[in-house]
Amino acid sequence: MKASGPALPLILGLSLLGASGAYLYMLFKKRRSNSTGDLVDFFTGKPPKQDPVATELIISNSLIPLVIGRKGYTLKHIQQSTGAVISFSDHDGSSQLCSIQGPTAAVVEKAKEMILKETARPLTITEEVIVPQAACGKIIGRCGDELQEICRKSMAKVWLEGRARSESERRVMITGTESQIKLAKELIAQKVQEDSESRKLLLDASLQTREPRIRTPPSSSAPTPTPNDGGKKTVATSSSKPLVGKQSSANFGTGQMEIFVSTIVSPSKFYVQLVGPQSLELDLLVQNMSVYYNQNQNRELHQLRKPYLGQIVAAEFNADNKWYRAEISAILPNEYKPGEVVLDLFFLDYGDNQYTNPTEVYELKPEFLAPRFQAIECFLAKVEPAQQSSPMPSSSAGGEDEWDPMVVSRFEELTHVAQWKKIISKIVTYRNSKSPLHGRESSPIPGVELYDTAPNGTDLINIGQELIAEGLARPATYDRTDELSRSQLFRLGLANGSSGAASSSQSSSIDKVDDTSASSSTSVSTVVSSGKHVSEPVQIEQKQQVQYRSLANGTH
């Protein structure tokens, strides 16, 4: 019993010592290292919470949109990808302070890298270029082809402002990176330079004489017929003093433009070409076509196997042995060779016709189709034949059959047909087309006043008034715009039906005339319907006749 006395405290001491050691072990070993060396909780095995890490960046105001992105999508993507919190605050007038906070330094560093990557991207900006108004057509190109090519090469967005900056200038807007805008400006400058050079070449070319494109030159001494009026009218001859207007040729009015008269059927039907860069373009086209089709191997490649109405072809004009673009307007039996046919060709850039054997006509190479067709059909406004029996215009192809051949010859002389002398025209009215095109909607035909330069080189001669003064024509008693439908009047800006009140609208419609009449003109059809004009819609028996008229004089 005495031996157990001292053993009890020893046992209790050892027990307390073991418990204390276990407690101290658990206390000091609550944190331990994991396999990667990071401290983790002893019981949960998770790393302990750490203080958040933050950093700051100074970003220029111009680069802030790149970091934020469209509708904030870029900033949201960075935050979701990294888990960082990004905020902006004002730093100074030209920059922003970007604060990046994250649970670890790695998160903050990754977010910082993504932000710097976005700011390193090229900045999209918008700049403007001022170009001459006259060069806009060269920049835009046919159907916008040149403008699309500039956008494709530069990868920038390029467009022209709707309104002109002034009468002589226009603003071109460019959106893209700095390098894209620089390339777009260079391409635009090239187009402006090309337009300037083409105009200079056109001016130089105008000093040279364009070869007359006629079979028989118009007679300068054609006799003037005497009207059968019992001697009540005084008839002037070609040697009489012409009527000289007060308008100066150096100061054209609104809607007036320089033209060449290329073909005349009568004063009621003739074809003109606008004077401008397209004149030089047409001369180069004819030159290239002549060189190409004069080679036998090229003609063999474009043999015409089965011609059809409306087909665009290449044909040689028998007056000058040059090659031109033409359209097959009729396929007729050959009177001299039964069983064979001849093609009636309408030359799309000049407006005249020619009968040609099918073996002498060839398919048109596609690249020769690019330039716009330049023959524009017109009629002389405010005049009608002096001997016209009916007060209403003829329904036969614009009334050209009613004009006396002597009057036509005098009109050819006054307009210098196919002699490539510039005269002035002004659109004052329109009439409906009498000859529907092959499978295409016909367009209203413009009625023009023509002015030639007087001998003094300053004043202008009204050719229509000159014909009236010589007794070869009389003032028109019928408004041709009455032939147009309401929709046609609306498209031409003549909805009020008054040609006088809408002269400004007519002058602004020259682009429509050029696009519709010049680009798809086939109006010299060899099949012409004749009939009488009636005031009520009654059935009229029409008779078809085949007719052909050469460029200058006579009938073929």
Side-chain angles (χ1 to χ4, degrees):
M1 292 298 291
K2 292 181 180 180
S4 61
L8 182 61
L10 180 62
I11 295 173
L12 292 175
L14 292 174
S15 299
L16 292 175
L17 182 62
S20 299
Y23 175 76
L24 292 174
Y25 177 81
M26 293 174 63
L27 180 64
F28 291 104
K29 291 297 183 179
K30 188 176 181 180
R31 302 168 73 95
R32 64 182 177 83
S33 299
N34 59 11
S35 58
T36 59
D38 297 331
L39 293 177
V40 296
D41 190 271
F42 179 81
F43 296 102
T44 61
K46 296 180 179 180
K49 293 183 178 180
Q50 298 181 359
D51 295 334
V53 181
T55 188
E56 293 180 343
L57 292 174
I58 297 177
I59 302 177
S60 173
N61 288 337
S62 61
L63 300 178
I64 294 296
L66 297 177
V67 179
I68 296 177
R70 185 178 180 86
K71 297 183 179 180
Y73 290 154
T74 304
L75 183 61
K76 291 179 182 178
H77 172 70
I78 296 174
Q79 294 184 129
Q80 292 174 359
S81 300
T82 61
V85 178
I86 303 172
S87 61
F88 294 92
S89 60
D90 293 334
H91 180 259
D92 54 33
S94 61
S95 60
Q96 295 278 330
L97 184 64
C98 176
S99 299
I100 308 173
Q101 291 184 353
T104 63
V107 170
V108 173
E109 188 64 24
K110 183 178 180 181
K112 180 179 178 181
E113 291 178 359
M114 295 182 69
I115 291 175
L116 294 177
K117 183 178 179 181
E118 292 297 329
T119 58
R121 289 193 301 114
L123 183 64
T124 300
I125 56 177
T126 299
E127 294 187 9
E128 66 177 34
V129 178
I130 306 301
V131 300
Q133 176 69 25
C136 291
K138 192 73 174 179
I139 296 172
I140 297 174
R142 182 181 177 88
C143 301
D145 291 343
E146 296 297 336
L147 188 60
Q148 293 177 9
E149 185 69 9
I150 292 174
C151 294
R152 186 187 66 81
K153 289 183 176 179
S154 65
M155 300 300 294
K157 181 180 179 182
V158 184
W159 74 97
L160 277 73
E161 279 196 340
R163 290 186 177 182
R165 186 170 181 265
S166 65
E167 294 183 358
S168 59
E169 293 181 341
R170 193 146 179 202
R171 183 182 285 108
V172 180
M173 308 302 295
I174 311 172
T175 299
T177 64
E178 185 176 353
S179 60
Q180 292 171 347
I181 291 177
K182 180 180 179 181
L183 180 56
K185 286 182 177 180
E186 292 176 355
L187 295 174
I188 292 173
Q190 290 178 7
K191 295 300 179 183
V192 174
Q193 182 67 20
E194 289 175 7
D195 179 76
S196 176
E197 292 177 355
S198 64
R199 292 180 183 277
K200 183 179 179 181
L201 289 174
L202 177 63
L203 180 61
D204 295 340
S206 64
L207 301 178
Q208 303 175 359
T209 303
R210 211 186 201 186
E211 293 183 5
R213 191 176 182 272
I214 56 176
R215 297 181 178 87
T216 305
S219 174
S220 60
S221 59
T224 303
T226 303
N228 187 15
D229 60 354
K232 295 181 181 180
K233 293 183 180 180
T234 302
V235 180
T237 63
S238 60
S239 60
S240 301
K241 184 178 179 180
L243 292 178
V244 178
K246 297 181 180 180
Q247 185 176 7
S248 173
S249 62
N251 186 17
F252 304 148
T254 303
Q256 295 185 358
M257 66 212 80
E258 291 184 317
I259 62 166
F260 295 130
V261 177
S262 58
T263 303
I264 288 178
V265 179
S266 75
S268 297
K269 188 172 188 178
F270 56 92
Y271 291 83
V272 303
Q273 296 175 354
L274 299 180
V275 176
Q278 62 269 25
S279 302
L280 178 61
E281 186 179 15
L282 178 59
D283 292 341
L284 295 176
L285 173 67
V286 172
Q287 180 181 352
N288 294 335
M289 286 184 63
S290 299
V291 171
Y292 183 82
Y293 284 101
N294 280 332
Q295 301 179 22
N296 293 330
Q297 62 272 23
N298 292 334
R299 292 199 299 271
E300 292 176 358
L301 290 174
H302 300 281
Q303 288 288 341
L304 196 64
R305 293 172 177 82
K306 190 176 181 180
Y308 56 87
L309 288 179
Q311 185 176 9
I312 309 299
V313 297
E316 187 178 27
F317 190 59
N318 56 22
D320 57 12
N321 297 325
K322 294 181 180 179
W323 290 80
Y324 300 91
R325 301 182 296 184
E327 181 175 8
I328 300 177
S329 58
I331 301 176
L332 307 173
N334 193 329
E335 298 179 359
Y336 303 100
K337 295 182 180 181
E340 297 185 6
V341 297
V342 293
L343 304 179
D344 187 2
L345 302 179
F346 172 74
F347 289 95
L348 294 160
D349 297 302
Y350 295 86
D352 47 357
N353 281 50
Q354 175 178 286
Y355 288 145
T356 307
N357 192 304
T359 58
E360 299 175 355
V361 178
Y362 300 90
E363 294 177 344
L364 187 67
K365 190 178 180 182
E367 68 179 64
F368 295 141
L369 192 61
R372 177 177 301 179
F373 302 143
Q374 297 193 23
I376 305 175
E377 182 183 357
C378 302
F379 69 94
L380 191 61
K382 301 181 180 179
V383 298
E384 62 185 21
Q387 303 299 326
Q388 182 169 286
S389 57
S390 172
M392 308 300 285
S394 171
S395 61
S396 59
E400 66 269 12
D401 290 341
E402 298 184 4
W403 292 91
D404 188 277
M406 292 297 183
V407 180
V408 176
S409 297
R410 177 60 175 155
F411 183 59
E412 291 173 348
E413 179 184 356
L414 291 172
T415 57
H416 312 282
V417 59
Q419 299 294 318
W420 316 125
K421 182 182 184 297
K422 299 178 185 177
I423 63 174
I424 309 302
S425 72
K426 180 180 181 180
I427 298 178
V428 296
T429 185
Y430 292 88
R431 68 170 169 81
N432 205 9
S433 176
K434 299 295 183 180
S435 302
L437 307 181
H438 301 295
R440 290 174 288 187
E441 181 183 1
S442 58
S443 302
I445 298 173
V448 298
E449 292 179 343
L450 299 179
Y451 300 89
D452 190 18
T453 306
N456 60 13
T458 304
D459 298 323
L460 297 177
I461 302 172
N462 188 319
I463 294 177
Q465 295 299 320
E466 182 71 14
L467 291 176
I468 294 175
E470 295 182 8
L472 305 179
R474 67 185 184 188
T477 58
Y478 177 71
D479 187 2
R480 305 307 295 264
T481 56
D482 293 341
E483 302 175 3
L484 303 180
S485 65
R486 186 173 181 82
S487 61
Q488 289 174 322
L489 291 172
F490 181 78
R491 288 196 300 267
L492 295 170
L494 305 175
N496 58 359
S498 174
S499 61
S503 59
S504 61
S505 299
Q506 292 168 349
S507 64
S508 65
S509 302
I510 183 59
D511 292 336
K512 300 178 184 177
V513 175
D514 193 14
D515 290 339
T516 58
S517 178
S519 63
S520 60
S521 177
T522 326
S523 302
V524 179
S525 176
T526 54
V527 179
V528 181
S529 299
S530 61
K532 296 182 179 179
H533 182 86
V534 292
S535 58
E536 296 182 359
V538 297
Q539 296 292 333
I540 300 177
E541 182 179 357
Q542 294 186 345
K543 179 181 178 182
Q544 289 187 339
Q545 59 182 0
V546 177
Q547 184 188 35
Y548 170 78
R549 182 167 183 83
S550 67
L551 176 68
N553 298 320
T555 301
H556 179 72

